[in-house]
Amino acid sequence: MDTLTRIRAFIDVVDAEGFSAAARRVGRSKALLSKYVRELEDELGALLLNRTTRQFSLTEAGHTYYRTASEILKEIDNLADLVRANNSDLKGRLRITAPRTFVDAEIGQSLVDFGKQHPELSLEIISDDRFVDLVEEGFDVAIRITRLEDSTLIARKLDDFQVLICAAPEFLEKAGPIDHPTDLSKVPCILDTNGRSYSNWRFVEPDGSAFTVPVSGPIEVNSPLAALRAAVSGLGVSIIPDFIARPKIATGELVTLFDEFLPRDRGIYAIYPHRRYLPAKVRTLVDFLHAWFRKPRGQPEATGQGDQLT
């Protein structure tokens, strides 16, 4: 039995958090996986897993071995994908993490369209507002809506993004004059706690200087959709992603404030780890999303061809 098979068995067990779950996932018997892991431990002369009748945990050596071995296997698999890319269909599992804001909004259809076009790929889409560690948690791609910061990860911009300051017309009639962003500190605001500075809204003066305004109000939520509903109901002023707010602005249920003071340094990005051999499935997904955001809505799905990563 070769070492790579034993390593794969060990990683499968750790990823599935147990021998039984791993056996179901990979289609091998629990006894066989246990045998492979024991053989790997014998080969290394080190205990990798602490086993009990109900659960297991990684030893210190197991943690170290898992992190490094996972990356080595990814490189081997990625190299194989790269070689096969022009000769066979894409196959395998693609793990994607994206904010709930993205997945639940209309633009979340982009991932559905990709899955429809590539049924041979198994997509695992995790909707999570946490700032996840792609390498540590085993994700292939992350969708992030943010200001781009320095990182060891690779980012490709998919689309522009900004937030809008919104309120219902009837609320503004009752609230009285709101002539400058600083006036927001005196009126009820709806706070979306997903934001990094949810109670200090960021603005930019016409001369480029930035300033923040402390805000408070009757509702704090961790969902821009809930903040949208609260704003439409007239409960206060809210800061809402543009792709969520636009339909309500179009119907007149919401109006925007201080557009000229809003920062424009954010975007929607596809993020992936820097690897020597980029998996074909990752390349195909990122190319697809890049094309999807550049086509008019309602047009046929992008093919991902002719717009390659550089």
Side-chain angles (χ1 to χ4, degrees), residues 5-6 8-10 12-13 16 18-39 49 51:
T5 300
R6 298 185 184 112
R8 288 188 189 279
F10 168 67
D12 286 338
V13 170
F19 285 91
S20 297
R24 290 191 296 270
R25 178 179 293 182
V26 302
R28 287 180 167 175
S29 71
K30 177 181 175 182
L32 185 60
L33 291 178
S34 180
K35 174 178 178 291
Y36 289 164
V37 172
R38 287 189 183 279
E39 288 176 348
L49 296 175
R51 304 168 179 82

Side-chain angles (χ1 to χ4, degrees), residues 181-309:
T182 53
D183 294 333
L184 293 172
S185 62
K186 305 172 186 176
V187 301
C189 291
I190 301 156
L191 309 186
D192 182 353
T193 58
N194 283 319
R196 295 184 182 181
S197 302
Y198 71 93
S199 61
N200 287 278
W201 291 356
R202 180 171 168 258
F203 297 92
V204 178
E205 293 280 11
D207 63 4
S209 59
F211 66 99
T212 60
V213 176
V215 295
S216 60
I219 295 182
E220 295 185 10
V221 295
N222 67 341
S223 164
L225 292 173
L228 174 77
R229 288 192 291 270
V232 170
S233 298
L235 295 180
V237 181
S238 187
I239 188 166
I240 303 171
D242 56 354
F243 55 81
I244 291 178
R246 294 292 183 195
K248 297 298 183 182
I249 295 170
T251 61
E253 296 173 85
L254 290 177
V255 296
T256 62
L257 306 170
F258 311 125
D259 291 352
E260 68 276 19
F261 287 95
L262 295 176
R264 302 182 185 276
D265 56 354
R266 305 180 188 186
I268 303 174
Y269 295 90
I271 312 287
Y272 51 95
H274 186 6
R275 293 173 182 159
R276 183 180 177 187
Y277 303 110
L278 183 66
K281 59 188 178 182
V282 173
R283 180 184 298 273
T284 302
L285 171 64
V286 177
D287 284 343
F288 179 94
L289 293 177
H290 185 266
W292 191 94
F293 277 93
R294 276 155 182 75
K295 68 179 177 66
R297 301 296 182 260
Q299 296 297 313
E301 291 92 346
T303 64
Q305 298 176 352
D307 184 13
Q308 299 298 307
L309 288 170

Side-chain angles (χ1 to χ4, degrees), residues 20-298:
S20 297
R24 290 191 296 270
R25 178 179 293 182
V26 302
R28 287 180 167 175
S29 71
K30 177 181 175 182
L32 185 60
L33 291 178
S34 180
K35 174 178 178 291
Y36 289 164
V37 172
R38 287 189 183 279
E39 288 176 348
L40 180 62
E41 290 175 326
D42 291 342
E43 181 180 323
L44 296 171
L47 185 67
L48 301 176
L49 296 175
N50 289 315
R51 304 168 179 82
T52 68
T53 57
R54 293 182 177 272
Q55 61 184 6
F56 78 95
S57 62
L58 284 166
T59 65
E60 183 177 352
H63 276 290
T64 301
Y65 194 82
Y66 173 78
R67 286 195 299 270
T68 304
S70 295
E71 286 304 306
I72 291 172
L73 277 186
K74 283 179 183 177
E75 289 295 324
I76 292 172
D77 291 341
N78 293 345
L79 178 56
D81 284 344
L82 189 65
V83 171
R84 289 193 298 260
N86 295 325
N87 299 308
S88 64
D89 293 333
L90 298 175
K91 296 184 183 298
R93 191 174 193 83
L94 191 58
R95 298 193 75 222
I96 305 164
T97 176
R100 283 179 292 176
T101 303
F102 183 95
V103 175
D104 293 342
E106 180 185 351
I107 57 177
Q109 182 68 32
S110 59
L111 297 176
V112 176
D113 289 346
F114 178 78
K116 182 180 179 181
Q117 185 165 302
H118 295 282
E120 67 280 8
L121 281 173
S122 175
L123 301 186
E124 181 182 358
I125 302 170
I126 305 299
S127 176
D128 198 331
D129 293 321
R130 282 187 309 118
F131 202 76
V132 303
D133 186 317
L134 270 69
V135 175
E136 187 71 22
E137 300 184 43
F139 285 101
D140 297 296
V141 179
I143 306 299
R144 289 182 179 162
I145 304 173
T146 184
R147 297 192 301 274
L148 192 61
E149 299 176 350
D150 291 338
S151 172
T152 58
L153 304 174
I154 306 301
R156 190 176 189 190
K157 189 174 183 180
L158 303 177
D159 202 7
D160 294 324
F161 165 79
Q162 71 175 118
V163 293
L164 299 174
I165 306 299
C166 301
E170 58 268 26
F171 171 84
L172 295 177
E173 290 177 6
K174 296 177 182 178
I178 305 176
D179 300 319
H180 189 270
T182 53
D183 294 333
L184 293 172
S185 62
K186 305 172 186 176
V187 301
C189 291
I190 301 156
L191 309 186
D192 182 353
T193 58
N194 283 319
R196 295 184 182 181
S197 302
Y198 71 93
S199 61
N200 287 278
W201 291 356
R202 180 171 168 258
F203 297 92
V204 178
E205 293 280 11
D207 63 4
S209 59
F211 66 99
T212 60
V213 176
V215 295
S216 60
I219 295 182
E220 295 185 10
V221 295
N222 67 341
S223 164
L225 292 173
L228 174 77
R229 288 192 291 270
V232 170
S233 298
L235 295 180
V237 181
S238 187
I239 188 166
I240 303 171
D242 56 354
F243 55 81
I244 291 178
R246 294 292 183 195
K248 297 298 183 182
I249 295 170
T251 61
E253 296 173 85
L254 290 177
V255 296
T256 62
L257 306 170
F258 311 125
D259 291 352
E260 68 276 19
F261 287 95
L262 295 176
R264 302 182 185 276
D265 56 354
R266 305 180 188 186
I268 303 174
Y269 295 90
I271 312 287
Y272 51 95
H274 186 6
R275 293 173 182 159
R276 183 180 177 187
Y277 303 110
L278 183 66
K281 59 188 178 182
V282 173
R283 180 184 298 273
T284 302
L285 171 64
V286 177
D287 284 343
F288 179 94
L289 293 177
H290 185 266
W292 191 94
F293 277 93
R294 276 155 182 75
K295 68 179 177 66
R297 301 296 182 260

